[in-house]
Amino acid sequence: MKSKEVVIAFYEAMKARDYKTMASLYTINAVFSDPVFPSLSGFEAGKMWEMLLKSAKDMSVEYKVLDHGKESARVRWTALYTFSKTGRKVRNEVVSTFEILDGQIMTQRDRFNFGAWSRQALGFLPWLLGFTGITRKKVQESAERSLNDFIRGKN
């Protein structure tokens, strides 16, 4: 598959809540990062998508491929969902950059405004504390713990 076909397959699978297809698109030594999960392996990224898609019952996704080359792609996507830990509605706008090799994702770097996300997902006070970095660190620690529990079947 070409890079554009890979990212289209990835986001169409996300829209269909097909985490198995999403996971299959990562190489075994892939790397994923975003403001909440700063460093995941391909296996962990697949499990993260499974956990997120299973917990966000009302998630909808729209995306647009911004550009693509032989082994790269950049996608802007928006997810609308209810954050399961607080019950708050979130609209997260993300730009993802991909490095693709032999039809699979080697790296995926998702960028979004953590402050805007945290205000929607967590409320005003955590958002305010986010300027000190406390909120981001706590969110990352909680997300890592949740993912590890999910992988071990403790959720």
Side-chain angles (χ1 to χ4, degrees):
M1 273 194 288
K2 297 182 181 189
S3 64
K4 185 175 182 181
E5 294 168 332
V6 171
V7 295
I8 287 173
F10 184 84
Y11 288 103
E12 287 299 317
M14 185 186 294
K15 287 174 79 169
R17 307 174 75 74
D18 180 0
Y19 53 83
K20 289 179 182 175
T21 295
M22 293 173 73
S24 75
L25 290 169
Y26 289 103
T27 64
I28 192 143
N29 57 344
V31 176
F32 172 92
S33 67
D34 77 4
V36 174
F37 293 97
S39 180
L40 297 179
S41 70
F43 171 77
E44 291 167 326
K47 287 299 190 180
M48 173 202 64
W49 291 119
E50 179 181 354
M51 178 180 76
L52 295 177
L53 290 172
K54 284 182 172 179
S55 68
K57 305 288 186 212
D58 62 344
M59 186 168 92
S60 65
V61 174
E62 296 298 325
Y63 69 94
K64 179 180 181 182
V65 178
L66 299 174
D67 56 58
H68 58 91
K70 184 178 177 187
E71 296 178 340
S72 63
R74 193 165 60 99
V75 177
R76 175 177 287 123
W77 60 284
T78 302
L80 302 169
Y81 60 95
T82 302
F83 187 58
S84 61
K85 293 192 185 228
T86 62
R88 297 174 63 93
K89 296 286 187 190
V90 173
R91 175 186 175 91
N92 198 19
E93 298 183 14
V94 183
V95 173
S96 297
T97 56
F98 294 88
E99 292 176 21
I100 296 164
L101 181 64
D102 297 329
Q104 287 192 292
I105 300 166
M106 285 286 301
T107 64
Q108 178 181 355
R109 290 181 178 84
D110 285 6
R111 306 264 188 266
F112 59 85
N113 183 320
F114 181 82
W117 175 86
S118 66
R119 183 162 187 174
Q120 293 174 77
L122 306 172
F124 181 74
L125 185 57
W127 170 79
L128 187 61
L129 292 173
F131 290 108
T132 66
I134 293 170
T135 298
R136 184 182 296 239
K137 184 159 179 54
K138 293 250 184 233
V139 166
Q140 289 173 344
E141 289 169 352
S142 175
E144 180 180 14
R145 194 168 36 256
S146 293
L147 181 58
N148 288 333
D149 288 348
F150 183 82
I151 290 169
R152 289 192 305 265
K154 292 184 173 183
N155 60 336

